[in-house]
Amino acid sequence: MSSYLVTVGVHAVWREFALIPIALLLCGSAPRLFAQERVEVGIFLDYLSISQTNTNNFGVGGRFGYRIHRKLTMEGELAYDYGINFHEAYRNITNGDITAVERTSIGVTHGLFGPTLQPDKGRFRPFVSLKGGFMDFRLSPSLVPLSTVESTLLGIRTSSLNVAMYPGAGAEASLGPVGLRFELGDELYFNSGAHNNLRITFGPILRF
């Protein structure tokens, strides 16, 4: 009977000691698991001020990022800004005089992809970004279909899909995997020259 109690006691002690390295292993792996958070997804409200049409366009978008280095993430995003009405001028092609002003609607689809540089730790993390992509303008049909006049926006009417470049900066405030992101930048598109357009986005993010 006593030998049985001794055997049981020895096994109990071994079980207690066996739990120690397991606990240490779990504790040591927790920071590594947290550090392996490589993906960030988010949705945002989008504000875009188009210089050529002098319109303030609002829309929605989504963003996906994958961290390829401790402080470097590759991000892709797509947004659509709803059609806004503005006054489009038409001029006489012979003398250049304005001959008509019509109401036109414009919507913009734009997609961007590129690197974002950001600290990998902290609840408040500023960042800078440089992306390239496209801007696709959707204008309502011309209301003056005459051969003697042309729109002052002839460039984006005849070539609505344009190459774009976007330098931007902002900050993320997070609590655990959930946070908010604010970003401000200049979305340039190239159509008979470069056109600067103020862009602001704001929305929730999720990191995992």
Side-chain angles (χ1 to χ4, degrees), residues 4 6 10 13-14 21 50 102-103 106 114-115 120 124 130 134-136 139-140 142 172-173 178 189-190 193 197 202:
Y4 172 76
V6 171
V10 170
V13 171
W14 274 110
I50 302 176
E102 301 288 351
R103 258 332 234 186
I106 182 172
D120 62 332
F124 182 81
L130 179 62
F134 70 91
M135 292 181 69
D136 185 20
L139 278 72
S140 58
S142 174
E172 292 180 353
V178 181
Y189 66 89
F190 299 88
N197 309 280
F202 178 78

Side-chain angles (χ1 to χ4, degrees), residues 165-177:
M165 181 174 294
Y166 174 75
E172 292 180 353
S174 61
L175 183 62

Side-chain angles (χ1 to χ4, degrees), residues 133-151:
F134 70 91
M135 292 181 69
D136 185 20
F137 294 96
R138 306 292 177 89
L139 278 72
S140 58
S142 174
L143 301 181
V144 187
L146 305 175
S147 60
T148 57
V149 298
E150 67 179 10
S151 168

Side-chain angles (χ1 to χ4, degrees), residues 86-169:
F86 69 99
H87 289 98
E88 183 178 4
Y90 293 82
R91 63 190 171 200
N92 190 300
I93 60 176
T94 58
N95 56 29
D97 293 339
I98 299 297
T99 60
V101 177
E102 301 288 351
R103 258 332 234 186
T104 301
S105 175
I106 182 172
V108 187
T109 302
H110 42 133
L112 298 166
F113 179 80
T116 295
L117 187 63
Q118 182 181 47
D120 62 332
K121 296 180 180 179
R123 294 186 177 180
F124 182 81
R125 304 190 301 164
F127 62 86
V128 293
S129 181
L130 179 62
K131 300 174 183 175
F134 70 91
M135 292 181 69
D136 185 20
F137 294 96
R138 306 292 177 89
L139 278 72
S140 58
S142 174
L143 301 181
V144 187
L146 305 175
S147 60
T148 57
V149 298
E150 67 179 10
S151 168
T152 56
L153 299 176
L154 184 63
I156 60 176
R157 275 204 174 276
T158 58
S159 181
S160 61
L161 183 62
N162 301 274
V163 173
M165 181 174 294
Y166 174 75

Side-chain angles (χ1 to χ4, degrees), residues 28-44:
S29 63
R32 288 195 295 271
L33 291 173
F34 181 80
Q36 288 173 1
E37 291 181 352
R38 292 184 175 271
V39 176
E40 179 177 305
V41 295
I43 57 176
F44 54 84

